[in-house]
Amino acid sequence: MFDLSSMMQYLPAFLEGFIMTAKVSIISIGFSFILGMIIALMRISTHKILKYFALAYVDMFRNIPFIVLIFFSYYGLPEIGIYIDAFWTGVLTLSLAVGAYTAETLRAGIESIDKGIIEAAKSFGLSPFKIFIKIIMPIALTVSVRPLGSVFINLILTTSILSAITLNELTGVSKVIASTTFRPFEVYVFLVFFYGLLTFLLSGLFNLWHLRLNKYNEAG
Amino acid sequence: MYGSEGFSIYDIILWAQGLGVSVGVFILSMTLGLLLGVAIGLIRYYQIAFLGKTLMMISEFLKNSPIIVQLFLVYFGIPAVTGIDMTPIEAAVWTLSANTAAFIAVIIISSISSIEPRQLEAARSFALSEFVILRKIIFPQAFSVSIPLLVGLAINQLQVTSLISVIGVYDLTRVGDIVNQRTFEPFIVWPIIGATYFILAKLLAHLGTRLERRFSQHKIMSEL
Amino acid sequence: MIEIKNLYKDFGELNVLKGINLSIHEGEVVSIIGGSGSGKSTMIRCINGLEKITSGTLTVDGFDVTKPSELLEARKKCATVFQQFDLYPHLNVVDNITLAPINVLGLSKAEAQIKAMELLDSMAMSDRATFYPSQLSGGQKQRAGICRALAMNPRYLLLDEITSSLDPEMTAEVLEILKLLVKRGITMICVTHEIDFAREISDRIVFLDEGTILKDMDKQSFFNDDGGLMEPRIAKFLTKMATI
Ligand SMILES: Nc1ncnc2c1ncn2[C@@H]1O[C@H](COP(=O)(O)OP(=O)(O)OP(=O)(O)O)[C@@H](O)[C@H]1O
Ligand SMILES: [Mg+2]
């Protein structure tokens, strides 16, 4: 009943799907991180308009399901003359949506920083940019690595929804394999295990990174 | 391409139907998920051999794989090996219930383990039965700890219901897709669908904070 | 010279500094004392440009701290040691000390590190160079804080109650170091509750009371019966401090 051997021939296709998932994920993680940083900074700025814009942004993207967003982009963008393929539609929408979560995570990290430390740096004449790069970001990251890790793992799981706009990533490819082999059970069980293992490995990596970044406050 | 036919009054009925299906599936799967999740949590807590570990293992995979794949597995995979046919709605409810249960089990276990073990030892030393301990000591405390976590989970699972459209359930998202294909008005259709989810999420969050507040008041009262 | 003229600072409705006039010359050691909430920290923060002044002028060697274009120059001349240490928690002691010299003064990493090691050595801290702040005792943290300030080669060292988070033993340890610095001729503006210490090291004492300077005189006259002690509020403050 549970027959994996006959499916070996589909391994290359599966691998291609995996590479597609990896590509979408990595690019989107990069973009959503940068975007999240900008939104987080807007969110904590004293400028009223920036602040409320960021707040509305986060609120909107966290409360609308991703599949609705992706359909909006996929059908909407061509209507306004923007012709990009499923890959870039996916990357764009994923980055925008996950940026909201990244922003909240980074904001929590930034707000946890003792104000005195930043003032000390200011008093020594460090520029705002240097303070951000050398002090705020490193400390915020040590606080946020783990929550950031779950945000990014969620991003990877969310790429599966891109199969709904015809992107041939892991899930999309598996759908094809399932219907050509008539073995949906084996294919999807395998897929569940595959994603599960992937997230398990990644969360392990983020834990290690957390330990590395936090070595400075081990001793009390 | 297909002609764009414009909107009709029936689209409102479609929308309302989709809304009903989404909310219905949400409520049903949250309820079933809660029952199932509590059961799994307790089985794990009382370390019922083998079963507890196996269930938690399955929970881990449910938590760490895409819901879409889980929906495909249940809707296409299970009938293929068992021969039992399922309607899309049935598959959707079972999948989301199991998925919700996986998260709830973890919430239950962490809430129970937040209770001071000394309290339980004290209770056991008075020869209270495990059932009484569970009902009178563990449950009330674990409940108050888990409320905010459960509210957060509910808000998340509401969004997850939008995915059942991929196995053909006529939920809000599917209705959006149908109307969008017919009218070719993505800039009207999807904002309306998005706004509906947004409002539902806000309502749920509002209910959640009321629940939390009511519960913390209850806690303060009982402390007096 | 740090020159403060007619300085006012409000926090909304609250007037914290009400017309401060104060000049501090190079080579002077000035202690600023006064009751809690009298505005001492606020004044130091104004000199740093950490608080926006409401009115008046404040210049450091002619650089106006209220002008964004001159603030950096003013900040390069002053270095502050903070009550709560405020060391960068993610950097070890050496990196704490070298961060500003490298990024503000433009020293090379090697130069900055050599300088940092010299400073640490002079404070018997060289064995703690690669420790993180969380691994240091309070006294060690504050010595690192002093090194961090001195590494900027400041013309003025600003100290805001730098021993009040320390226990007596560590306080003594840090005060010893300050005495050494004074002997070397550094200009120091020192907010302190350690009256004996102020009496020992200062050239001048400034007594701040509810946002105004009640007395600004040289040490000898300040502690004389016909000097600062004539002022009942000062006498009261000093007796209070003495009984603690
Ligand atoms: N950021 C602020 N916002 C509002 N009020 C402030 C702020 N900073 C200081 N104050 C107020 O200004 C007054 C002076 O504070 P400051 O810290 O300068 O006093 P201080 O003389 O240093 O006292 P202490 O000896 O306790 O350190 C206090 O009443 C304080 O509450
Ligand atoms: Mg103070």
Side-chain angles (χ1 to χ4, degrees):
Chain A
M1 178 184 98
F2 199 100
D3 176 19
L4 276 178
S5 56
S6 68
M7 314 202 49
M8 288 311 280
Q9 53 172 311
Y10 296 99
L11 210 59
F14 188 82
L15 210 66
E16 259 174 53
F18 175 63
I19 290 169
M20 182 61 93
T21 295
K23 274 204 314 214
V24 173
S25 301
I26 291 169
I27 301 175
S28 306
I29 285 174
F31 281 159
S32 69
F33 184 75
I34 296 167
L35 186 68
M37 193 120 74
I38 296 168
I39 300 286
L41 285 178
M42 285 166 72
R43 186 96 154 68
I44 56 176
S45 80
T46 45
H47 193 289
K48 273 235 168 71
I49 297 172
L50 289 183
K51 201 185 173 81
Y52 284 116
F53 175 82
L55 195 69
Y57 181 96
V58 167
D59 205 31
M60 188 173 98
F61 281 107
R62 291 207 311 173
N63 284 303
I64 297 178
F66 181 72
I67 196 166
V68 174
L69 297 173
I70 196 74
F71 280 150
F72 176 70
S73 314
Y74 188 64
Y75 294 111
L77 290 179
E79 293 281 307
I80 53 169
I82 299 173
Y83 297 98
I84 49 176
D85 60 4
F87 180 86
W88 287 107
T89 307
V91 166
L92 185 83
T93 314
L94 207 50
S95 306
L96 284 171
V98 177
Y101 292 88
T102 318
E104 282 305 273
T105 313
L106 287 174
R107 180 180 66 97
I110 293 172
E111 281 179 345
S112 74
I113 301 172
D114 190 346
K115 239 181 69 200
I117 291 164
I118 294 168
E119 288 188 338
K122 264 193 211 167
S123 82
F124 286 114
L126 284 155
S127 65
F129 179 72
K130 279 273 158 65
I131 292 176
F132 184 70
I133 296 293
K134 301 269 176 188
I135 295 170
I136 297 179
M137 267 333 278
I139 302 179
L141 269 184
T142 61
V143 177
S144 307
V145 254
R146 267 200 285 211
L148 218 50
S150 18
V151 168
F152 291 149
I153 285 172
N154 244 318
L155 181 150
I156 296 170
L157 296 183
T158 306
T159 57
S160 63
I161 297 176
L162 299 181
S163 62
I165 59 162
T166 72
L167 187 74
N168 281 324
E169 42 62 74
L170 260 183
T171 304
V173 165
S174 302
K175 227 160 73 178
V176 177
I177 299 175
S179 59
T180 43
T181 57
F182 295 106
R183 294 213 173 271
F185 186 77
E186 288 87 337
V187 172
Y188 293 127
V189 166
F190 178 74
L191 200 54
V192 164
F193 274 95
F194 189 85
Y195 277 111
L197 232 63
L198 190 67
T199 52
F200 179 74
L201 286 176
L202 284 172
S203 67
L205 280 180
F206 274 102
N207 277 337
L208 282 179
W209 195 19
H210 168 87
L211 287 180
R212 228 188 91 125
L213 287 178
N214 280 275
K215 62 177 192 267
Y216 70 78
N217 48 28
E218 265 164 32
Chain B
M1 293 297 273
Y2 322 93
S4 39
E5 292 166 21
F7 293 98
S8 79
I9 188 81
Y10 297 108
D11 292 338
I12 296 174
I13 297 170
L14 269 181
W15 171 84
Q17 279 175 346
L19 181 62
V21 169
S22 288
V23 172
V25 168
F26 169 70
I27 291 174
L28 205 57
S29 61
M30 273 312 282
T31 314
L32 286 173
L34 192 64
L35 295 175
L36 204 60
V38 170
I40 297 172
L42 290 179
I43 287 173
R44 180 76 186 111
Y45 176 65
Y46 288 111
Q47 316 219 314
I48 296 173
F50 181 67
L51 196 55
K53 282 215 172 96
T54 315
L55 286 173
M56 287 316 287
M57 182 80 170
I58 295 173
S59 298
E60 274 310 307
F61 280 103
L62 289 178
K63 278 170 59 195
N64 291 308
S65 61
I67 314 276
I68 279 211
V69 178
Q70 294 169 27
L71 284 164
F72 288 158
L73 174 61
V74 173
Y75 184 60
F76 299 114
I78 289 183
V81 287
T82 61
I84 305 167
D85 260 337
M86 258 184 278
T87 64
I89 286 231
E90 281 166 356
V93 171
W94 285 124
T95 313
L96 295 192
S97 301
N99 183 266
T100 308
F103 284 95
I104 286 178
V106 175
I107 292 177
I108 297 295
I109 292 167
S110 68
S111 307
I112 293 180
S113 49
S114 72
I115 300 171
E116 280 260 11
R118 250 178 295 145
Q119 275 185 43
L120 303 181
E121 280 161 23
R124 290 195 181 108
S125 76
F126 289 123
L128 290 175
S129 76
E130 273 307 315
F131 184 68
V132 172
I133 293 176
L134 181 65
R135 226 181 46 155
K136 296 278 180 196
I137 299 172
I138 297 181
F139 180 73
Q141 296 187 58
F143 185 62
S144 83
V145 176
S146 60
I147 281 276
L149 298 172
L150 291 175
V151 169
L153 178 68
I155 291 172
N156 196 47
Q157 294 303 91
L158 175 70
Q159 292 197 25
V160 167
T161 62
S162 67
L163 297 176
I164 61 179
S165 57
V166 298
I167 54 165
V169 178
Y170 285 87
D171 73 329
L172 202 51
T173 302
R174 189 71 198 272
V175 165
D177 201 21
I178 291 166
V179 177
N180 178 53
Q181 302 280 358
R182 204 192 65 227
T183 60
F184 272 109
E185 294 280 11
F187 282 92
I188 299 174
V189 173
W190 294 115
I192 290 175
I193 301 292
T196 312
Y197 279 110
F198 185 87
I199 292 166
L200 283 178
K202 286 287 156 190
L203 279 175
L204 200 57
H206 179 72
L207 272 172
T209 35
R210 272 183 48 178
L211 201 67
E212 279 172 49
R213 201 174 309 140
R214 187 158 139 207
F215 210 77
S216 60
Q217 266 170 3
H218 166 82
K219 227 165 80 179
I220 293 163
M221 296 288 278
S222 63
E223 271 167 10
L224 288 176
Chain C
M1 185 170 74
I2 297 180
E3 203 163 22
I4 304 174
K5 276 191 197 144
N6 222 7
L7 170 66
Y8 282 81
K9 172 67 194 169
D10 306 337
F11 286 111
E13 296 287 284
L14 186 71
N15 313 107
V16 176
L17 298 177
K18 305 166 203 165
I20 301 283
N21 288 294
L22 184 66
S23 306
I24 293 154
H25 300 269
E26 241 176 289
E28 271 190 310
V29 174
V30 179
S31 283
I32 296 169
I33 61 176
S36 189
S38 56
K40 306 179 296 292
S41 295
T42 305
M43 196 171 92
I44 296 285
R45 291 169 58 79
C46 286
I47 299 175
N48 270 326
L50 292 175
E51 297 289 356
K52 226 179 164 150
I53 68 181
T54 308
S55 68
T57 60
L58 202 167
T59 58
V60 178
D61 288 348
F63 293 107
D64 186 345
V65 299
T66 59
K67 294 204 180 108
S69 56
E70 296 178 27
L71 178 59
L72 178 61
E73 284 309 314
R75 278 178 169 166
K76 281 188 195 166
K77 311 225 173 251
C78 303
T80 310
V81 183
F82 299 87
Q83 179 179 355
Q84 300 297 339
F85 323 122
D86 293 326
L87 297 171
Y88 316 124
H90 62 304
L91 300 178
N92 67 25
V93 170
V94 173
D95 292 341
N96 258 278
I97 298 172
T98 57
L99 183 72
I102 292 172
N103 290 289
V104 179
L105 303 181
L107 261 60
S108 75
K109 198 171 172 187
E111 284 173 302
Q113 279 176 344
I114 291 170
K115 180 93 200 278
M117 287 313 294
E118 278 172 18
L119 284 165
L120 285 170
D121 210 31
S122 72
M123 292 185 197
M125 282 276 292
S126 27
D127 57 334
R128 294 289 182 277
T130 57
F131 282 45
Y132 287 101
S134 64
Q135 299 167 313
L136 301 177
S137 74
Q140 290 168 340
K141 277 183 202 165
Q142 204 52 298
R143 281 186 275 163
I146 295 171
C147 290
R148 180 174 67 169
L150 292 176
M152 291 298 283
N153 269 333
R155 204 166 272 180
Y156 308 97
L157 190 62
L158 311 181
L159 312 172
D160 188 2
E161 294 188 41
I162 67 165
T163 58
S164 56
S165 314
L166 302 178
D167 61 31
E169 199 180 323
M170 292 174 180
T171 300
E173 167 188 314
V174 168
L175 293 184
E176 277 314 307
I177 284 168
L178 294 186
K179 282 182 204 163
L180 260 166
L181 292 175
V182 170
K183 264 191 207 142
R184 279 196 236 148
I186 195 163
T187 312
M188 205 153 88
I189 298 124
C190 176
V191 174
T192 184
H193 281 155
E194 307 276 339
I195 302 298
D196 291 334
F197 172 72
R199 191 171 192 157
E200 188 179 339
I201 62 153
S202 325
D203 303 314
R204 250 166 83 198
I205 309 270
V206 172
F207 188 92
L208 218 58
D209 183 53
E210 292 182 356
T212 56
I213 292 179
L214 200 59
K215 271 279 174 316
D216 174 1
M217 40 176 49
D218 63 89
K219 173 172 65 181
Q220 276 73 25
S221 357
F222 186 86
F223 288 105
N224 263 350
D225 286 340
D226 51 1
L229 297 184
M230 288 271 284
E231 197 69 56
R233 303 186 81 122
I234 295 178
K236 201 172 141 210
F237 177 77
L238 291 180
T239 6
K240 206 176 99 200
M241 294 315 294
T243 54
I244 289 174

